[in-house]
Amino acid sequence: MSSPGMDEASSLQLCRLMLPDDANFMGNVHGGIILKMIEEAGSIIGTRHCNTQNGDRCLAALVRVEKTEFLSPVFIGEVVHVSAEITYTSKHSLEVQVKVIAENILTGAKKLANKAALWYVPCSLQNVDKVMEVPPIKYASPEKEEEGRKRYEAQKIGRMETKARVEEPMPLRPNLEDAPQERHTVGFSQSSLIHLVGSSDCTVVDFVYGGVAMKLMDEVAGIVAARHCGTNIVTASVDAINFHCKIRKGCVVTVTGRLTFVSNRSMEIEVLVDADSLVDRQTGKYRAVSAFFTFISLDKENKPLNVPPLKIEGDDEQKRFEEGKSRYLQNKTRRLAEKERQQ
Amino acid sequence: MSSPGMDEASSLQLCRLMLPDDANFMGNVHGGIILKMIEEAGSIIGTRHCNTQNGDRCLAALVRVEKTEFLSPVFIGEVVHVSAEITYTSKHSLEVQVKVIAENILTGAKKLANKAALWYVPCSLQNVDKVMEVPPIKYASPEKEEEGRKRYEAQKIGRMETKARVEEPMPLRPNLEDAPQERHTVGFSQSSLIHLVGSSDCTVVDFVYGGVAMKLMDEVAGIVAARHCGTNIVTASVDAINFHCKIRKGCVVTVTGRLTFVSNRSMEIEVLVDADSLVDRQTGKYRAVSAFFTFISLDKENKPLNVPPLKIEGDDEQKRFEEGKSRYLQNKTRRLAEKERQQ
Amino acid sequence: MSSPGMDEASSLQLCRLMLPDDANFMGNVHGGIILKMIEEAGSIIGTRHCNTQNGDRCLAALVRVEKTEFLSPVFIGEVVHVSAEITYTSKHSLEVQVKVIAENILTGAKKLANKAALWYVPCSLQNVDKVMEVPPIKYASPEKEEEGRKRYEAQKIGRMETKARVEEPMPLRPNLEDAPQERHTVGFSQSSLIHLVGSSDCTVVDFVYGGVAMKLMDEVAGIVAARHCGTNIVTASVDAINFHCKIRKGCVVTVTGRLTFVSNRSMEIEVLVDADSLVDRQTGKYRAVSAFFTFISLDKENKPLNVPPLKIEGDDEQKRFEEGKSRYLQNKTRRLAEKERQQ
């Protein structure tokens, strides 16, 4: 009996060379490229695991990514290694933990770029809306299983809490020329992009890979951050992302980002993804994904810069700012506690 | 009642960050990338509008792009915004007007990069060769409707006139080593590229997006222009493009460009697109698209350079040169008239 | 009657502008990009030829690429021209010879970048596992036909000989952090990448283009070589590549490269491609392709550098080193003989 994470079926590594199109004008690889690779690894290992059972063949569909931090910048020409391992299974879902290491293949230097945890649900190939059962994994110890069960319960609560955001109206996209001219307001940097879902974005059963959606989300958040600062910006972290609904081939997705909170050194950007079937009027427009991205501003030596304060206008912006501030303070407290624990 | 162009269904904005692969070695974004984004916006808004009716679900297929000018160069790292609006509907076609604005997201500077008008026809998803009816839009005034009707009649005549080009034989592609060695002849710079149509080039009903074809056309025209000048070249304008026939998945497209006319400061390149089904011998090879691209040559400060004169050989080349010259003079007259009107 | 290679059906040219994503950080276009273009040309001309007959429509599937050398480096901004010609047909297979010329479109300078020979087999669109008959071509002379027959017999033997490699176990991929830390060992530079096959990688009948596989193989071999040398490396040649089995859409491919032999100025890297259907457990994992890539190391002026010697550990590595050395010496002898013949 092999221990979990060691046998073929429950661990996986993938790697790719970072190309110019993966990075911004300073050579910093976009966070969205890393998120897409993380999800690709999770989707492969999840799908492989769920097909070790009898019954319908199935695909693992991403339903949630836990809060994740970008620990070191990655550059063009480096090789990114993503290793994934199944760490918990419930009856209908599984958790994949992923580690991202960036390697300078000329010097051999390696650095930890990211760690993430993703939740998948197996969908039948015969009927994508039918959720299959997940074969159980073996745990190294009862403690490991218990820890996994706690993470499972926590994410269930987390998903419940963000249900509200499904209902939150998509902010209106002002015409570029009607957009507010005053710098550092929320309206000034708010941005949207629209993407027509093609076959290269989709799984074999024609819904969009979670990683493709996250790449678009990071792209729009980066535009918001660059507009606010006018400097080189990079993704610092992403709050838990929930995938409320599948996005199908042929849909148009509208990805909108707006600043919610700004500290001295960071910007929080809310990103909402709405999907709209062009040809099926009955489905209508629906909220498919939502998340908060945190960006920081860097100088030419990749040292952090101060971020211009956000000019708040109206009660809604004030409310979102306060909520963002409380997320910011919670994260700060959590990070300090972790540091102390490690000492 | 919302006025046309203001409600969700009849206006649309999309944007995208320009990446290294979108540009030439001087950082100038290829005109073909802009044309592809323009068409993506038109195709989304057109498809959405045509599905507001009962009956078969349908896709808007591009049939014509009116003459369009590239007003300012766009660079890597800028965000390109495309806004589209339905401005006229006939029984079986609709006109989309599109505006392209390039934004330097670091400085906030914006410039108008392009304005274009596109004509679409709705094709049934059940049978792509069946043209559906277009739901009428509401006009801001009877004058607006009348102006639209005039544009509609004009494009009908325009499409008729270019029917001749459907029959024009594809110039023979000389083997690279047999190609004429004398610089500045038509034969010296003539170029072809061949592309095998894959699923990422196609709509959900497996015909090629108009924007994909225009991107290939701009690419080959750029190679012709660079061969003639040996300098940094950019797309200045594109004459009306007519899409005579659909190109289907699995086809091979041959895109050929050759110089027809050269003025002091510009080159006119005729581009012909022929499609060929590899597996269906009955369809055979057919002319799918044709257009004239105008390129200019730029120095390192993006200032226009003189273009070497074209060495004409034979009567056919002379005839095409004269036709090109008359198009060039017509455009010049038209531009001067417009300038005067604006003063 | 047109001579073979001159009429439309049996010759073909394609070209493409090289973009930043096609090249490494020194601007050298990856060998894999060239191999992919070569195969695209072969696949188009082969498919076109095989559909000139009656019976099922079919696709030409790549089964073998003969040993090929990269004669000159290609750079970003150059236009690559690939010309292909059918040079031999047996009952069930055909040979395509391909020439690659890189052109600096600013100066007009041209150089021969590559010459290759590929073998294709026509597969019925109705049933991809059914091999069709190939319509015979006409030869310029009986001698030409006889030479082709000899090449055909030689490749049959070559394919037989490499059958053994189908059985060779895929080397274990050590976790990046467990990887050997001692530089210049085989284990230090061994690398794998994993790719989930999507629709843009596939033909209309949903198996992977041979060119897509070769591009991945070159990518992993390049990572191995860069890890070993820590310098700018380029593909010098590729030994005969055999495509043992088709790779289907939805599969995961694992591409692994490891050093087998190192001379003063070159590195030989064995690359193995294993395919694994995520959803179909019965097929299991199978060896799809295998080949030897040779890389060289270049300084900033594109002059060859010495390669660090390989530290051999254990009998298996020693055996592979000896086999690699004998391939190296054979190739050297062959090249010298050719040079003499040409003088």
Side-chain angles (χ1 to χ4, degrees), chain C residues 13-242:
Chain C
Q13 278 212 42
L14 57 86
C15 75
R16 193 166 73 76
L17 184 66
M18 293 296 106
L19 298 173
D21 270 13
D22 296 325
N24 68 15
F25 65 103
M26 294 290 288
N28 287 104
V29 169
H30 296 294
I33 297 292
I34 306 294
L35 292 171
K36 190 163 177 271
M37 287 186 72
I38 287 174
E39 203 276 317
E40 200 175 341
S43 143
I44 293 175
I45 199 176
T47 300
R48 182 180 283 161
H49 178 75
C50 294
N51 282 292
T52 52
Q53 64 193 344
N54 291 323
D56 287 8
R57 301 300 81 200
C58 56
L59 268 191
L62 182 67
V63 291
R64 180 177 166 95
V65 181
E66 297 294 346
K67 180 172 174 55
T68 180
E69 282 172 45
F70 291 86
L71 306 166
S72 339
V74 180
F75 297 98
I76 298 174
E78 292 185 340
V79 171
V80 165
H81 301 263
V82 179
S83 56
E85 174 177 2
I86 298 179
T87 43
Y88 184 76
T89 52
S90 75
K91 194 173 176 193
H92 290 295
S93 70
L94 59 87
E95 183 198 50
V96 178
Q97 288 189 10
V98 180
K99 214 153 80 178
V100 181
I101 288 165
E103 180 194 14
N104 180 325
I105 51 173
L106 302 185
T107 66
K110 295 185 190 86
K111 62 204 169 197
L112 183 63
N114 194 289
K115 280 168 87 168
L118 300 87
W119 293 89
Y120 287 87
V121 157
C123 303
S124 161
L125 289 191
Q126 270 68 50
N127 169 7
V128 175
D129 296 321
K130 182 179 159 197
V131 174
M132 306 289 295
E133 292 201 4
V134 176
I137 58 163
K138 295 197 187 70
Y139 299 91
S141 67
E143 289 74 30
K144 288 275 170 202
E145 180 166 10
E146 182 53 23
E147 283 166 29
R149 212 191 45 75
K150 277 184 189 153
R151 292 193 303 270
Y152 169 71
E153 297 298 339
Q155 63 90 25
K156 255 171 97 171
I157 295 166
R159 280 166 70 182
M160 223 79 100
E161 278 170 356
T162 58
K163 272 273 157 70
R165 275 195 258 157
V166 180
E167 307 297 327
E168 186 157 355
M170 172 69 98
L172 281 176
R173 283 165 289 129
N175 233 305
L176 191 67
E177 285 155 324
D178 308 341
Q181 292 304 309
E182 199 192 347
R183 275 198 97 106
H184 306 137
T185 57
V186 173
F188 181 84
S189 57
Q190 183 183 310
S191 304
S192 290
L193 58 83
I194 290 189
H195 177 71
L196 183 55
V197 173
S199 40
S200 44
D201 303 319
C202 289
T203 65
V204 283
V205 285
D206 287 346
F207 61 83
V208 173
Y209 281 112
V212 170
M214 291 194 286
K215 183 169 173 286
L216 290 170
M217 294 170 83
D218 179 73
E219 191 179 332
V220 91
I223 292 173
V224 171
R227 274 185 166 155
H228 184 73
C229 294
T231 55
N232 178 29
I233 49 82
V234 296
T235 320
S237 67
V238 188
D239 218 38
I241 310 184
N242 290 295

Side-chain angles (χ1 to χ4, degrees), chain B residues 33 64 73 103 128 139 153 161 183 202 209 220 236 260 302 311 335:
Chain B
I33 298 291
R64 180 177 166 95
E103 180 195 14
V128 174
Y139 298 91
E153 296 298 340
E161 278 171 356
R183 275 197 97 106
C202 290
Y209 281 112
V220 91
T260 42
N302 278 300
K311 289 186 187 140
R335 269 203 306 273

Side-chain angles (χ1 to χ4, degrees), chain A residues 8 13-15 17 19-21 40 44 48 51 57-58 81 99 101 103 105-107 110 199-200 209, chain C residues 20-21 25 174-177 183 192-194 196 199-200 219 226-227 230-231 252 276 278-279 281 285:
Chain A
E8 270 251 321
Q13 277 212 44
L14 57 86
C15 75
L17 184 66
L19 298 173
D21 269 14
E40 200 176 340
I44 293 175
R48 181 181 284 161
N51 283 293
R57 302 298 80 202
C58 56
H81 301 264
K99 214 152 80 177
I101 288 165
E103 180 194 14
I105 50 174
L106 302 185
T107 65
K110 295 184 189 86
S199 41
S200 44
Y209 281 112
Chain C
D21 270 13
F25 65 103
N175 233 305
L176 191 67
E177 285 155 324
R183 275 198 97 106
S192 290
L193 58 83
I194 290 189
L196 183 55
S199 40
S200 44
E219 191 179 332
R227 274 185 166 155
T231 55
V252 170
D276 185 5
L278 283 187
V279 297
R281 298 306 292 180
K285 210 170 187 167

Side-chain angles (χ1 to χ4, degrees), chain B residues 44-59:
Chain B
I44 292 174
I45 199 175
T47 301
R48 181 181 283 162
H49 178 75
C50 293
N51 283 294
T52 52
Q53 64 194 344
N54 291 324
D56 285 8
R57 301 301 79 201
C58 56
L59 268 190

Side-chain angles (χ1 to χ4, degrees), chain A residues 262-282:
Chain A
V262 160
S263 75
N264 274 349
R265 286 285 171 96
S266 72
M267 293 160 273
E268 188 196 61
I269 295 138
E270 181 177 24
V271 182
L272 302 171
V273 181
D274 284 5
D276 185 4
S277 167
L278 283 185
V279 296
D280 182 359
R281 299 306 291 179
Q282 285 184 314

